Amino acid sequence: MKRLIIHGDPGIRKDAVIEYDGEELTCFGINRNGEWHGPERVQLWCTVGDESEREDYQKRNYVPHFMEVERADAEEIEVLSEKGKLEV
């Protein structure tokens, strides 16, 4: 599991499946930053990982401050699935 900071908006939301740097990743959580005050383009701070890490994410079995952080432009992200199912 790691933090992926995406500069720009590739059109994804929670539970999206993306490919970055040859790796298929699931976006467990997304924080959108920079809408009102901040950088020129919006930034998506995504907690991503392999589907096998979902239980660790849901149970908060990780320390966010010690996660590996990578940065990418929206153009570098290939969107395989834009979102998960909406739960009502």
Side-chain angles (χ1 to χ4, degrees), residues 2-5 45 64 67-71:
K2 61 185 169 186
R3 177 88 59 194
L4 178 61
I5 300 173
W45 288 44
M67 290 173 59
E68 176 186 349
V69 177
E70 293 186 23
R71 295 175 181 269

Side-chain angles (χ1 to χ4, degrees), residues 11-59:
I12 60 174
R13 70 176 185 216
K14 183 180 175 186
D15 291 329
V17 179
I18 61 172
E19 186 172 325
Y20 171 67
D21 203 24
E23 191 176 8
E24 187 174 304
L25 301 167
T26 301
C27 298
F28 300 129
I30 299 177
N31 293 323
R32 190 175 176 94
N33 297 309
E35 292 273 72
W36 301 99
H37 309 288
E40 194 172 291
R41 297 189 322 170
V42 69
Q43 290 181 351
L44 301 181
W45 288 44
C46 308
T47 303
V48 299
D50 188 74
E51 189 60 37
S52 65
E53 296 174 303
R54 181 176 293 280
E55 186 175 351
D56 284 338
Y57 175 78
Q58 290 173 339
K59 291 183 176 183

